[in-house]
Amino acid sequence: MAGHSKFKNIMHRKGAQDKKRSSLFSKLSREITVAAKMGTPDPDMNPRLRAAVNAAKAQSMPKDNIQRAIDKAAGGDTDNYEEIRYEGFGPGGVSLIIEALSDNRNRTATNVRTAVSKNGGNLGASGSVSHGFDRMGLISYPASAGDAEKVFEAALEAGAEDVSSSEDGHEIWTAQDALHEVATAITPVLGEPEGAKLAWRPQTMVAVSEEDAATLFKLIDVLDDDDDVQTVWGNYEVSDEIMEKLGQ
């Protein structure tokens, strides 16, 4: 367990999400509804639902919206969403994994394919890039949860595999099947996490030029505007200098 990683370059930047609160709330509501429908509507008894509710709270989503999303699943008056994963390449040859929750597979596939092809990338077959990522659990905490040493020790004690701390916060990585066990063990020490979810961690990173980074961020913004797209993961690494130039 060691090291600092450029996690802010792996998953789409939170700052851009803040500008799209309505779209973000829609995605969070969809995840809550799906999680509640797949298990019990009680967050204490449903780890995925608890993680979804915590993620919504971390984004200041109103309690009424959260409860409404849970009730929608419990009432059975919800669309049948399916989880879909798209894989492909973006500008600069970076690998991308796009996760979606959709009630219309054809619509989502068309929108994702169009967004990628119009912004310097192309989709591949299932498995075309995921072999270059590790499927792991990711627990997120804000920087206010504690300093790097405190978080590292708590994570080590809880059975985590790796920790990355920066001024943006802390990312605690776990084995795929240990996510909820580690999250439960670490909560009494650090408090409720901002998020606890399965994630795709790149095995190697690809340095991206300023030109490719500009196109890549445009692609991610387009994907992020699609209500069906939940998360975009990638193995791109952009220098702080280029990030500053691009205003990211």
Side-chain angles (χ1 to χ4, degrees):
M1 284 174 55
H4 167 77
S5 73
K6 297 266 186 185
F7 180 75
K8 64 183 177 182
N9 290 327
I10 297 174
M11 196 170 76
H12 188 42
R13 293 89 56 223
K14 290 179 182 175
Q17 292 181 336
D18 289 339
K19 301 173 188 172
K20 308 168 184 172
R21 216 126 192 89
S22 174
S23 174
L24 178 58
F25 284 177
S26 173
K27 294 173 192 283
L28 291 167
S29 293
R30 188 174 294 194
E31 170 62 20
I32 290 171
T33 299
V34 168
K37 191 174 183 182
M38 289 178 69
T40 168
D42 180 359
D44 291 333
M45 302 294 292
N46 183 334
R48 178 171 174 175
L49 177 57
R50 184 166 65 250
V53 169
N54 286 341
K57 287 179 178 176
Q59 294 293 344
S60 302
M61 186 169 167
K63 286 183 180 179
D64 287 350
N65 293 38
I66 294 174
Q67 191 57 50
R68 198 156 49 239
I70 294 175
D71 292 343
K72 189 175 180 184
D77 58 344
T78 178
D79 296 313
N80 287 316
Y81 293 111
E82 62 175 318
E83 296 177 288
I84 311 171
R85 184 177 83 234
Y86 302 96
E87 301 181 30
F89 299 91
V94 304
S95 298
L96 297 174
I97 295 178
I98 302 159
E99 294 181 317
L101 281 176
S102 173
D103 58 354
N104 186 323
R105 177 182 282 266
N106 291 336
R107 177 194 66 220
T108 307
T110 299
N111 291 346
V112 169
R113 190 175 297 279
T114 300
V116 173
S117 63
K118 282 189 174 181
N119 291 283
N122 59 278
L123 288 184
S126 177
S128 58
V129 304
S130 56
H131 60 81
F133 292 74
D134 294 320
R135 190 63 162 159
M136 299 183 72
L138 175 62
I139 304 167
S140 307
Y141 276 96
S144 59
D147 59 29
E149 185 176 355
K150 175 186 176 181
V151 174
F152 181 86
E153 289 180 356
L156 185 65
E157 184 70 23
E161 294 199 353
D162 196 10
V163 180
S164 170
S165 293
S166 72
E167 61 185 19
D168 298 322
H170 309 279
E171 284 79 40
I172 299 167
W173 296 90
T174 76
Q176 180 177 345
D177 57 0
L179 172 62
H180 295 297
E181 179 184 327
V182 174
T184 300
I186 209 169
T187 297
V189 183
L190 300 180
E192 286 284 355
E194 276 189 330
K197 65 193 297 184
L198 290 177
W200 294 96
R201 189 180 193 186
Q203 294 165 3
T204 57
M205 302 298 286
V206 174
V208 181
S209 68
E210 182 177 345
E211 182 180 349
D212 285 335
T215 308
L216 176 63
F217 289 150
K218 182 183 176 187
L219 166 59
I220 294 174
D221 282 337
V222 172
L223 289 170
D224 222 32
D225 283 339
D226 190 321
D227 282 347
D228 293 343
V229 175
Q230 293 294 103
T231 318
V232 180
W233 306 92
N235 66 344
Y236 54 94
E237 188 168 43
V238 184
S239 70
D240 290 339
E241 182 183 358
I242 291 177
M243 292 283 281
E244 196 171 327
K245 279 185 181 180
L246 297 175
Q248 299 296 330

